[in-house]
Amino acid sequence: MADEWKPKILAIICNWCSYAGADLAGGARIQYPPDIRAIRVMCTGRIDMLFILKAFVEGADGVLVSGCHFGDCHYLEGNFKAAKRMFMIKNLLRNIGLDDKRFRMTFVSASEGAKWATVMENVISTVKELGPSPIKEFKK
Amino acid sequence: MAENTEPRIGVFLCHCGTNIAGSLSIDDVVNYAKTLPYVAVADQYQYMCSTPGQKKIDDAIKEHNLTGVVVAACSPRLHEPTFRTATREGGLNPFRFEMANIREQNSWVHMHGMWDEATDKAKDQVRMAVAKAAKLEDLIPKSVPVEHAAMVVGAGVGGMQAALDLASAGIKTYLIEATPTIGGRMSQLDKTFPTLDCSQCILTPKMVDVGRHPNIEMMTYTEVENVEGYIGNFDITLRKKARGVLTPTEATAKGIVGGGCNGCGDCTDVCPVIKPNPFEMGMAPRKAIYIYHAQVMPLIYTVDFDSCVKCGLCVEACGEKKAIDLEMQDEFITVKVGTAIIATGFDLIPIEGKKEWGYKRFDNVISSLEFERLICASGPTGGHLIRPSDGKTPQAVGYVLCAGSRDNTGGVAKPYCSRFCCMYSLKHAHQMYEKIPGCKVYLFYMDIRSFGKAYEEFYYRIQNEGAKFIRGRVANVLEDPETKNLHIFAEDTLLGRPVDIEVDMLVLAAAIEPKEGANVLRKKFGVSASQDGWMLEAHPKLNPCGTTTAGVFLAGVCQGPKDIPDTVAQAEGAASAASIPIHMGEVELEPYFAICMEDLCAGCGMCVNLCPYSALALIEKEGRTVMQVTEAKCKGCGTCGGFCPGGAIKMQHFTTPQIAAQIDAFFAGGVQ
């Protein structure tokens, strides 16, 4: 039964834009697949690269970071600084042999509920196509 | 509470009626929560936010000697403050509370045939919240004093009302206006619906009140350059644009006794430069030294340095008053305020972008604001309604309602309803009948939205006056090259047939959009925008005046289209909200600031450059270089903590161990 496998995807999202956008999607009852669990931080700038690496090591099939659009950060430029770090994550994943599509950074504002739902669908379908993370093999 | 004791967490699930309980199994999640490490009690209730629900938390904290509380319910952005209060009532530090968002981010987005998946997700969410709650610490919010002053940006009717309310409550208020006069859009209007009050007659007294209120410092021809600080202590830098003219006060300060502009207008008589007056929508001239109209406040002339040729004739004409300084430069001043209100208003969309209606192609197609000036007794024609092509009085006039509103075709068009166009078009129709007996009026509409007090009655009145209402969008407008009359082609959707109506003049009730520059201004204040560009309120229903930046409020159309009564009402609401922190005298800030763990800090200084608020600095301490946080400046973004290579920065309430525990809880399937 191939459809038994459910991906484990972690999202770390900022309070002011993406978390609010996700709430707006809820308020509008926009439906999307349920495979993502979110951790709320005040700003994507808070996200240590180690959080993402830890998630992959623990067995994440995918990780999403989502913040405000550039120029809209509640803390002026935290998202910009986060984005720079996230490029490094992509590089790192490629170097250790993980498909870098397992990691994504998106920008969803507090008014983009529909966009949040689209992001959810895209991230989940991408990870489903890639299948379970190979790191899980090491954990057995 | 002792830090070393084993955490004891209480978990409370909210049914939220059927909002949550209708989409997932509350019982399953509660039973599951009871099996989680550290969980001392797990319970459920229909409405956790209600008084009995909150009492459950209160009682459980005492009965089970809890160290942390988890409520799985709606979004923390909605009810975190509520449950923090309940946690405090129970005797715990309010920051020992964590919320699992199983409504907005679960039951509401996984509604149909997703029962098991939603229940599983809720279990994960609760498990992650418990993991964080087990590591939460006592935090003490810092209290900061609030400056006894406020700022209102934009001096239309909303901004003026907000400023008057704040000032009357005893608060020093800076009223900032980018143009040379206060008054805003309302001062351009002739009459106001549905009462047909003369706009100037009800606005001018307010302008005078603003001008002479001892607590209002009116700063026209001034823009916000920069905003720093936080609620209670905003440092706002203003650019006082070079006006080229001294007020009597400024003149006295410069030692010119009895000098300064007295509004006599001798300068404008001699000025050789002629430009279109934007107040009259470009339909009347002004000079390079000008006032917008006779009722301006303050009555001080302004030099338009973009068109001034510096001939000096005005300086000569001004004579002994020595009010004119053609070498004046922009000045920058910084003021300190406790709270601020944004009231920047709107512009009409560039309706020429809807090419089918011929605006700017055909002389006799005008916008509604142009019509407003043409029919106004103080307007360019002295209130004689004439059409632009030949100056004749139009006998048949068409109105296109929803011109660019409720239109999903893209370009300049807007998907939203601009809310007041129906009503002012009805008013325009009435004014036509008043001014030109026997004229013909055609209104092309989609729906007439006459939703306000006495609005529907006004609609009936205009129907009875004889206006023809044609339900259909105008497809095309063509001009007769000889007569300059216009043919309006539309489908009458009620009769189900095409119409071709000849009129002398066509008025487009153009959609509105945020004021030019509002997008730049809002970012300076850290205010978000909705998808349609209007500024985003903190909550659409329960906090329509607030924003996500504490201490910054919204009034009027900058937050979304609204008519004058709604604008004034929101302005009064915003003024009331903005006055609360000022009257309280101090506010509590969330204690989410960074702390340097000096043992781990290597003094590399990477974080210092990352901080957007200059809150971090390197200091020498006991022979070592370490970083130090200025708590009052730190806003708690955590950008420093996300980067510190040594993990030496602790971001309160979002610490590395707390977030790591959440990640572990998700993947490892339980708190270890």
Side-chain angles (χ1 to χ4, degrees):
Chain A
M1 298 248 285
D3 59 350
E4 278 297 298
W5 173 69
K6 290 199 177 87
K8 283 206 150 204
I9 306 171
L10 180 74
I12 310 182
I13 59 183
C14 85
N15 178 59
W16 302 100
C17 291
S18 291
Y19 199 93
D23 280 355
L24 190 69
R29 316 293 198 275
I30 304 173
Q31 305 294 302
Y32 55 79
D35 305 296
I36 292 184
R37 311 288 182 261
I39 290 177
R40 180 173 71 124
V41 289
M42 294 314 269
C43 179
T44 47
R46 169 69 188 100
I47 302 171
D48 197 315
M49 288 200 288
L50 292 176
F51 296 162
I52 294 155
L53 296 182
K54 177 179 171 60
F56 278 114
V57 169
E58 299 293 346
D61 298 307
V63 176
L64 167 73
V65 164
S66 192
C68 308
H69 290 278
F70 290 139
D72 256 355
C73 176
H74 191 74
Y75 305 101
L76 310 175
E77 50 199 30
N79 56 349
F80 188 68
K81 284 161 184 163
K84 288 208 269 187
R85 285 176 216 156
M86 299 313 145
F87 278 120
M88 289 194 266
I89 293 276
K90 285 231 162 214
N91 242 325
L92 200 70
L93 293 184
R94 275 196 296 272
N95 281 319
I96 61 170
L98 269 185
D99 195 315
D100 68 357
K101 288 201 286 291
R102 291 187 186 276
F103 173 72
R104 241 183 105 179
M105 179 164 188
T106 60
F107 306 95
V108 177
S109 82
S111 62
E112 293 177 327
K115 184 178 174 186
W116 174 256
T118 310
V119 165
M120 292 291 97
E121 280 167 14
N122 289 345
V123 169
I124 291 166
S125 68
T126 305
V127 173
K128 277 189 171 167
E129 269 172 37
L130 292 169
S133 163
I135 289 182
K136 284 182 180 165
E137 296 298 317
F138 294 95
K139 292 179 73 76
K140 279 179 184 167
Chain B
M1 161 184 13
E3 286 295 327
N4 295 328
T5 54
E6 176 101 326
R8 296 175 59 78
I9 310 295
V11 179
F12 302 89
L13 269 95
C14 180
H15 294 214
C16 196
T18 56
N19 280 312
I20 297 170
S23 294
L24 52 86
S25 170
I26 299 276
D27 287 338
D28 279 7
V29 182
V30 170
N31 289 333
Y32 173 76
K34 286 177 181 162
T35 68
L36 291 171
Y38 306 136
V39 172
V41 56
D43 202 353
Q44 55 178 300
Y45 192 67
Q46 282 90 342
Y47 295 100
M48 280 306 298
C49 56
S50 67
T51 310
Q54 293 192 47
K55 192 166 181 303
K56 268 184 184 293
I57 298 174
D58 189 344
D59 294 344
I61 292 172
K62 288 166 185 150
E63 191 184 330
H64 297 276
N65 194 22
L66 299 180
T67 64
V69 173
V70 169
V71 173
C74 51
S75 172
R77 293 174 56 86
L78 184 66
H79 270 324
E80 192 174 56
T82 313
F83 294 120
R84 274 191 182 157
T85 309
T87 305
R88 194 184 54 214
E89 294 290 308
L92 272 181
N93 181 287
F95 293 90
R96 293 270 186 165
F97 167 75
E98 178 66 14
M99 206 153 177
N101 184 345
I102 61 167
R103 193 180 76 170
E104 279 85 343
Q105 296 186 17
N106 188 341
S107 69
W108 274 355
V109 290
H110 313 307
M111 289 176 80
H112 311 293
M114 304 291 281
W115 184 269
D116 293 341
E117 288 86 346
T119 306
D120 285 347
K121 182 170 177 177
K123 286 177 184 171
D124 285 352
Q125 288 176 306
V126 167
R127 190 170 71 236
M128 291 164 76
V130 168
K132 179 163 181 183
K135 294 200 181 301
L136 287 174
E137 295 168 349
D138 289 357
L139 297 177
I140 309 295
K142 56 185 171 185
S143 246
V144 292
V146 179
E147 187 71 22
H148 201 82
M151 179 176 285
V152 179
V153 184
V157 65
M160 292 196 306
Q161 184 65 51
L164 279 171
D165 285 9
L166 286 165
S168 303
I171 295 162
K172 163 87 178 174
T173 305
Y174 299 92
L175 179 59
I176 311 303
E177 168 59 41
T179 70
T181 176
I182 63 171
R185 287 285 174 212
M186 188 176 165
S187 62
Q188 287 182 291
L189 309 180
D190 179 38
K191 300 282 193 300
T192 56
F193 60 79
T195 50
L196 300 173
D197 283 310
C198 152
S199 185
Q200 286 278 7
C201 312
I202 53 177
L203 188 70
T204 316
K206 233 181 230 316
M207 290 165 66
V208 175
D209 286 349
V210 168
R212 66 180 169 210
H213 202 295
N215 284 340
I216 295 181
E217 188 165 338
M218 186 171 67
M219 300 169 95
T220 52
Y221 215 47
T222 299
E223 289 181 4
V224 172
E225 186 72 13
N226 189 32
V227 181
E228 281 183 11
Y230 46 91
I231 181 172
N233 299 276
F234 289 108
D235 289 306
I236 303 182
T237 306
L238 303 165
R239 175 195 287 267
K240 229 177 136 206
K241 292 183 280 186
R243 189 170 203 148
V245 177
L246 297 171
T247 65
T249 329
E250 287 165 345
T252 311
K254 289 198 171 207
I256 312 165
V257 180
C261 183
N262 64 0
C264 67
D266 290 347
C267 52
T268 204
D269 291 343
V270 297
C271 179
V273 181
I274 296 177
K275 301 291 278 184
N277 185 354
F279 181 82
E280 303 290 0
M281 306 304 288
M283 295 183 296
R286 68 157 168 80
K287 300 293 186 67
I289 184 161
Y290 67 98
I291 51 172
Y292 270 173
H293 57 94
Q295 291 82 29
V296 293
M297 172 63 70
L299 180 52
I300 302 290
Y301 277 74
T302 304
V303 179
D304 168 15
F305 281 107
D306 288 338
S307 52
C308 172
V309 292
K310 299 208 175 172
C311 64
L313 286 172
C314 55
V315 181
E316 246 171 67
C318 190
E320 283 308 297
K321 295 190 291 292
K322 291 184 182 166
I324 302 171
D325 173 7
L326 294 180
E327 301 306 319
M328 197 182 268
Q329 298 291 321
D330 289 2
E331 275 176 53
F332 294 91
I333 47 169
T334 301
V335 297
K336 203 173 183 63
V337 297
T339 54
I341 295 174
I342 304 177
T344 45
F346 67 95
D347 286 325
L348 295 187
I349 60 166
I351 193 64
E352 60 270 28
K354 297 290 286 184
K355 292 195 173 62
E356 60 268 38
W357 297 324
Y359 183 70
K360 289 203 175 163
R361 278 197 294 140
F362 305 141
D363 290 346
N364 293 326
V365 178
I366 63 172
S367 76
S368 48
L369 260 180
E370 287 166 344
F371 183 86
E372 205 67 60
R373 293 313 299 156
L374 281 177
I375 207 157
C376 180
S378 62
T381 59
H384 297 288
L385 184 62
I386 54 171
R387 68 175 193 167
S389 71
D390 50 14
K392 283 185 190 154
T393 302
Q395 296 300 325
V397 176
Y399 293 86
V400 179
L401 278 60
C402 296
S405 301
R406 305 173 66 201
D407 182 335
N408 288 315
T409 55
V412 298
K414 304 292 178 187
Y416 50 79
C417 167
S418 295
R419 278 189 100 218
F420 44 66
C421 333
C422 282
M423 290 308 297
Y424 72 58
S425 295
L426 292 173
K427 179 202 69 176
H428 287 167
H430 171 80
Q431 287 178 293
M432 283 295 297
Y433 289 119
E434 203 173 69
K435 295 243 176 191
I436 309 165
C439 69
K440 290 192 174 108
V441 173
Y442 303 95
L443 293 113
F444 294 86
Y445 71 103
M446 290 164 67
D447 303 284
I448 294 290
R449 297 189 163 175
S450 51
F451 49 82
K453 188 174 180 181
Y455 288 11
E456 186 71 7
E457 294 87 329
F458 188 70
Y459 175 29
Y460 286 136
R461 178 175 169 190
I462 308 309
Q463 283 177 319
N464 291 330
E465 283 178 346
K468 301 276 180 297
F469 289 81
I470 299 156
R471 188 173 189 275
R473 237 182 227 273
V474 173
N476 199 11
V477 175
L478 294 177
E479 184 187 57
D480 182 327
E482 280 175 23
T483 60
K484 299 283 177 188
N485 285 352
L486 302 156
H487 283 269
I488 306 170
F489 299 95
E491 185 192 349
D492 186 328
T493 58
L494 297 181
L495 294 177
R497 68 179 183 206
V499 292
D500 165 8
I501 292 172
E502 187 176 351
V503 294
D504 299 336
M505 189 162 86
L506 181 64
V507 181
L508 305 178
I512 58 168
E513 63 184 5
K515 186 85 185 162
E516 189 188 351
N519 206 29
V520 177
L521 179 83
R522 71 166 176 84
K523 287 182 183 177
K524 290 177 182 165
F525 279 100
V527 172
S528 306
S530 356
Q531 226 155 357
D532 46 21
W534 302 106
M535 293 184 201
L536 190 67
E537 62 285 343
H539 190 280
K541 285 152 193 102
L542 301 178
N543 197 350
C545 300
T547 68
T548 47
T549 303
V552 178
F553 303 90
L554 303 176
V557 181
C558 69
Q559 181 254 332
K562 52 183 73 67
D563 55 17
I564 294 167
D566 286 2
T567 292
V568 173
Q570 192 183 19
E572 300 208 278
S576 163
S579 70
I580 293 170
I582 292 173
H583 285 312
M584 293 295 286
E586 55 178 41
V587 284
E588 278 191 352
L589 304 183
E590 289 196 294
Y592 298 162
F593 45 83
I595 293 175
C596 176
M597 295 184 281
E598 289 168 2
D599 299 351
L600 296 174
C601 179
C604 70
M606 295 252 209
C607 52
V608 175
N609 296 327
L610 282 173
C611 179
Y613 304 107
S614 313
L616 314 180
L618 291 180
I619 56 156
E620 294 297 323
K621 197 169 177 185
E622 293 159 12
R624 291 176 59 218
T625 304
V626 291
M627 185 272 278
Q628 190 179 48
V629 183
T630 308
E631 283 176 12
K633 284 186 178 174
C634 175
K635 292 200 187 184
C637 62
T639 303
C640 53
F643 194 80
C644 179
I649 297 173
K650 178 178 179 183
M651 269 317 303
Q652 304 236 69
H653 212 64
F654 295 91
T655 66
T656 299
Q658 287 164 1
I659 294 174
Q662 283 174 287
I663 297 173
D664 278 336
F666 177 26
F667 294 109
V671 194
Q672 303 306 317

